[in-house]
Amino acid sequence: QSSAVRPIAAGDGWLLVAPASGDQVRRACRAVDHPEWGDELLAMPDAVAMVSAMCERLETATRTAPVEHWLEQFHLHDVPVAHCLGIDEHLVDPQVVHNQIYSVADWPTVGAVRTVRYPARFASSGLLPTGAATPRLGADTDVVLAGLNAGLAGLIADPEEPAAVED
């Protein structure tokens, strides 16, 4: 099943509002001073269309004030909400930095490349490395084609030999 939940614009950034129940949908509408929207949205028979319409309606209100205002309003109404970070904000987020989610390595012919590391940590091995640089386009073509040719050679029947028949 698809979801129509999407980030919605605020006056100075983006939010993700994710009500998980009919009651939370009503409270989200009250948080933006439009309680009348709750029952209208919940009367829609298609859940994906309802969520899409909810995001559109909420966004007409959330564009009028900054992210912090709306975070406070949705929290006061007990509606799940989060601030959507841009990439620059994400990279310096204290939790991202603490968890050492990314590493930067020098890749031949490319230069410095940021990669996401394996997310789990194990007491026995600590942080797992992100691995080597990605092979350059075409680097393995000869090996792959040689393997295909060898496999095809075994499949092509010799016209001089009779075909084998299995019982």
Side-chain angles (χ1 to χ4, degrees):
Q1 176 165 343
S2 157
S3 172
V5 172
R6 64 170 178 79
I8 59 175
D12 64 348
W14 295 86
L15 299 165
L16 189 63
V17 180
S21 69
D23 206 35
Q24 287 180 342
V25 168
R26 285 186 184 92
R27 292 197 308 263
C29 295
R30 284 197 298 269
V32 298
D33 293 325
H34 283 282
E36 71 279 6
W37 290 348
D39 289 334
E40 292 170 13
L41 291 167
L42 292 170
M44 297 177 77
D46 181 275
V48 173
M50 185 274 295
V51 172
S52 181
M54 179 194 68
C55 289
E56 289 173 21
R57 289 183 186 198
L58 292 177
E59 192 170 59
T60 63
T62 59
R63 287 180 177 274
T64 65
V67 168
E68 286 302 319
H69 169 80
W70 295 116
L71 289 173
E72 182 179 330
Q73 288 304 306
F74 288 115
H75 283 289
L76 286 172
H77 288 83
D78 197 25
V79 176
V81 63
H83 178 200
C84 295
L85 302 178
I87 188 66
D88 292 334
E89 295 168 297
H90 170 74
L91 292 173
V92 297
D93 179 79
Q95 184 174 6
V96 170
V97 172
H98 173 77
N99 288 330
Q100 298 172 305
I101 292 174
Y102 300 100
S103 64
V104 178
D106 190 37
W107 287 11
T109 72
V110 176
V113 174
R114 182 185 329 272
T115 57
V116 179
R117 71 165 181 81
Y118 186 76
R121 288 181 199 231
F122 301 97
S124 60
S125 59
L127 294 176
L128 298 176
T130 56
T134 303
R136 290 182 45 205
L137 182 62
D140 300 321
T141 301
D142 291 342
V143 173
V144 171
L145 290 177
L148 286 173
N149 287 336
L152 289 174
L155 295 175
I156 299 173
D158 183 345
E160 301 298 319
E161 290 198 23
V165 178
E166 292 187 24
D167 294 328

